[in-house]
Amino acid sequence: WLGKLQRLNLSRNRLEHSSAGELPEAPWQCLTSVDLSSAGLLRVPPPLLACLVLRRLLLGGNRLPEVPAALAALPELEELDLGGNKLRALPLAFGRTPSLVKLTLGD
């Protein structure tokens, strides 16, 4: 049943001490919406980079010092929240994100 999961909300969970970067491959491939806001993340979980149908990704309120350029290559990504992180810059690839219509930055 996890293979059909489309939306995942793990916001406000304390994932900084978990193996969030080592999440299993399934069910991430079919997700269209992922909320990992205020989860204490120090990096973007690599399985997210394989979510080719992901449209909404909320990573606000974490402790991310950077985001991988591969995130900008997600073909369906329309909304990305990176506000409230420790980002100093975004990879240039975000200027060429094909479907992105809403990008949240800042405190």
Side-chain angles (χ1 to χ4, degrees):
W1 63 272
L2 285 177
K4 295 182 180 181
L5 188 66
Q6 293 183 351
R7 296 185 191 130
L8 180 64
N9 185 339
L10 293 174
S11 63
R12 301 188 196 285
N13 282 281
R14 306 296 288 166
L15 299 177
E16 73 270 18
H17 298 297
S18 73
S19 57
E22 307 303 324
L23 293 167
E25 293 302 317
W28 295 83
Q29 303 93 322
C30 296
L31 292 174
T32 60
S33 177
V34 175
D35 187 348
L36 292 171
S37 56
S38 300
L41 293 177
L42 299 172
R43 66 181 181 136
V44 175
L48 287 178
L49 304 176
C51 292
L52 299 180
V53 295
L54 189 63
R55 292 186 177 170
R56 183 174 185 244
L57 178 56
L58 306 179
L59 294 169
N62 284 291
R63 296 182 287 168
L64 302 173
E66 61 186 16
V67 292
L71 198 58
L74 294 175
E76 302 295 324
L77 190 62
E78 297 173 351
E79 179 181 353
L80 177 60
D81 180 2
L82 296 171
N85 281 288
K86 298 183 179 219
L87 302 174
R88 294 189 183 265
L90 283 178
L92 291 176
F94 277 93
R96 297 182 301 274
T97 306
S99 300
L100 194 63
V101 293
K102 182 177 180 183
L103 175 62
T104 303
L105 300 169
D107 298 332

